[in-house]
Amino acid sequence: MNNFIDKLAEKLTPLAAKLGSNRYLTVLRDAFMLAFPLTMFGSIVVVLNNLPFFSDDLKGTLNGLFGNGQNATMSIMTLFIAFGIGYYLTKSYDEDGVFGGVVSLASFLILTPFNLTTADGVEVGGVLTSDRLGAKGMFIGMLAAFLAAEIYTRVKKKGIVIKMPEGVPDAVSRSFTSLIPAIATLSVFTLVNAFVSGAFSTNLHDVIYKFIQQPLTGLGSSLPATLLALLLTQMLWFFGLHGQVIINSVMEPIWQALALENLTAFESGQDLPHIITKSFMDTFTVSLGGTGMTLMVVILMAFVMKSKQMKEIGRLAIGPGLFNVNEPVIFGLPIVLNAAVVIPWVLTPLVVTTFNYFMMYSGIFPATTGVIVPWTMPLFFSGMMATNSIMGGVLQLIDVAIVAAIWFPFLKAQDKVNLAFEAE
């Protein structure tokens, strides 16, 4: 077993290190974190407006009064992501991030249709619809922002700029320095939009959504793809690498788009289209005690195991574990590079996620509504918030029982070894 783990580490560690330091994945992660406080606020508004014991009339009144808290945050999240990508990518090239951000945002909007076709077939101009700025526009927003920031920085790096004399205020000088790169970038996107609109009588939003976003979200919402992402996350953590940062950089845009589609359906009173969403991954994996669902593990260590080492580590890790911070047990048990616990560490999230998927698919338990619950929200409460039902919390309690059943024999075996050492 140890030889196998050493060989696997030898292969995986360099690859994981490259992914973790990749410029574009790092920028994408930081852009989503930029939008995180806003989406969190929007999620709280949705939860408070739609508490399960409220009547439909009261929910309608609250959404009329406070709905803009969600409309101005979660519903237009692509705007914040596009700005964030432009800002962080431009900054990574040691250029002015603010101008890169606004140019990327404007480039995305250039590709966005400013019209709306009503149910009667009447086309209304000068209108930006929230679906273009939310889930449906997520992928074209990311693609446009990355491309715009690259064009902007490359033009600027070539020195094709207007340099102002000394003594000119800094804000004015920076604006003129960015003028030509900004015009060049926005011109490219204007020509692309004109070509697509004129030659094909459509827009890039619909093209990207149909041929790229729909297939990718279909893949990301499948159970096999989710289990693969979890498997890679657990394996990377086993070797001491932050699996979430590496894997979620790729998967989070897909899961986020799925969550927004669920939220739109939930607010419209329609059936929720997806089981796998950002909310599902946060609430029914991380919110069970952190990566690897270890809250029940530390409880068993603290109150069931007999060795002093297990008890001490378990008691130290319970406090952070209640808020889904589990580095104390990952590095204290340890889980990292510990062949004795690699099986439950990798297996548990796969088993629990599969169980949850089929419980929601069968309708026994509700799916997540798409609201983003803080990942530090304690067990049971996070399940209720994510599903708008007490049954979400009940499902989490069943999950931790499954975690306990899988981990117990492995912890007991480790405990016996520890007791033998302590006896000596």
Side-chain angles (χ1 to χ4, degrees):
M1 174 65 80
N2 286 330
N3 288 335
F4 171 75
I5 290 174
D6 290 341
K7 290 180 180 179
L8 192 59
E10 192 178 315
K11 299 290 183 182
L12 283 179
T13 302
L15 175 61
K18 286 182 180 179
L19 288 173
S21 62
N22 181 272
R23 181 195 301 270
Y24 300 103
L25 293 180
T26 302
V27 164
L28 191 59
R29 178 200 66 202
D30 292 344
F32 272 98
M33 292 311 298
L34 175 70
F36 178 74
L38 305 173
T39 57
M40 188 61 62
F41 173 77
S43 295
I44 292 171
V45 171
V46 172
V47 169
L48 295 179
N49 286 350
N50 296 276
L51 290 172
F53 48 82
F54 286 171
S55 67
D56 290 342
D57 289 341
L58 180 56
K59 289 179 183 178
T61 301
L62 291 174
N63 278 297
L65 292 173
F66 305 112
N68 270 3
Q70 184 256 325
N71 294 333
T73 52
M74 287 190 70
S75 293
I76 58 171
M77 190 172 68
T78 299
L79 292 179
F80 311 126
I81 300 299
F83 175 84
I85 289 172
Y87 175 85
Y88 286 113
L89 185 55
T90 304
K91 198 173 178 182
S92 74
Y93 288 114
D94 297 321
E95 296 293 346
D96 196 327
V98 172
F99 284 96
V102 295
V103 168
S104 294
L105 176 57
S107 299
F108 163 64
L109 291 174
I110 285 172
L111 302 178
T112 304
F114 278 70
N115 57 59
L116 169 66
T117 303
T118 66
D120 300 328
V122 178
E123 189 168 299
V124 181
V127 177
L128 265 175
T129 57
S130 60
D131 65 331
R132 303 286 190 186
L133 308 179
K136 198 171 182 180
M138 180 77 70
F139 278 80
I140 191 169
M142 293 189 297
L143 292 172
F146 274 117
L147 183 58
E150 284 287 347
I151 296 172
Y152 173 83
T153 53
R154 288 174 188 273
V155 173
K156 203 168 182 184
K157 288 287 187 187
K158 288 183 179 294
I160 309 174
V161 297
I162 298 173
K163 294 183 178 180
M164 300 299 289
E166 292 184 11
V168 174
D170 182 60
V172 176
S173 179
R174 288 167 56 203
S175 182
F176 272 92
T177 302
S178 300
L179 181 60
I180 293 177
I183 290 175
T185 304
L186 298 176
S187 296
V188 170
F189 281 87
T190 302
L191 291 172
V192 168
N193 184 65
F195 174 75
V196 174
S197 300
F200 302 103
S201 299
T202 185
N203 59 81
L204 273 178
H205 269 256
D206 292 340
V207 173
I208 295 294
Y209 184 76
K210 182 176 180 180
F211 293 105
I212 298 179
Q213 184 165 341
Q214 276 190 326
L216 281 177
T217 52
L219 176 64
S221 65
S222 70
L223 182 60
T226 304
L227 295 179
L228 177 60
L230 284 172
L231 174 64
L232 293 174
T233 299
Q234 296 304 108
M235 291 303 297
L236 290 169
W237 264 114
F238 181 75
F239 292 112
L241 299 165
H242 201 304
Q244 257 89 15
V245 170
I246 296 168
I247 302 301
N248 286 14
S249 297
V250 178
M251 297 301 297
E252 186 151 329
I254 298 173
W255 290 334
Q256 194 74 259
L258 294 169
L260 288 175
E261 289 179 11
N262 267 27
L263 184 63
T264 301
F266 173 69
E267 291 182 319
S268 305
Q270 301 171 356
D271 292 336
L272 301 178
H274 308 293
I275 294 174
I276 305 295
T277 65
K278 167 70 171 167
S279 309
F280 176 90
M281 298 307 297
D282 284 349
T283 308
F284 292 98
T285 59
V286 176
S287 288
L288 301 178
T291 302
M293 310 175 178
T294 56
L295 177 59
M296 201 61 199
V297 175
V298 298
I299 291 174
L300 289 173
M301 290 169 61
F303 301 110
V304 179
M305 300 301 121
K306 297 179 179 179
S307 67
K308 185 177 180 180
Q309 179 183 345
M310 284 263 190
K311 284 185 176 295
E312 289 296 330
I313 294 170
R315 288 168 183 170
L316 287 171
I318 280 182
L322 289 171
F323 299 95
N324 307 312
V325 176
N326 65 343
E327 277 79 1
V329 69
I330 288 177
F331 297 103
L333 180 58
I335 291 171
V336 172
L337 293 175
N338 184 353
V341 297
V342 65
I343 292 175
W345 172 251
V346 172
L347 184 64
T348 300
L350 305 182
V351 171
V352 173
T353 300
T354 302
F355 172 76
N356 289 339
Y357 182 91
F358 285 108
M359 288 297 100
M360 293 180 182
Y361 182 80
S362 64
I364 298 174
F365 288 91
T368 55
T369 60
V371 299
I372 305 300
V373 180
W375 64 270
T376 52
M377 180 67 65
L379 182 80
F380 193 78
F381 299 103
S382 59
M384 287 196 300
M385 291 178 65
T387 61
N388 201 45
S389 168
I390 194 172
M391 295 303 289
V394 172
L395 180 58
Q396 286 185 313
L397 295 180
I398 297 172
D399 290 341
V400 295
I402 296 172
V403 173
I406 296 173
W407 270 90
F408 182 79
F410 295 92
L411 288 177
K412 197 66 179 175
Q414 183 74 48
D415 194 43
K416 286 182 179 180
V417 173
N418 290 350
L419 284 171
F421 277 116
E422 290 171 10
E424 291 177 4

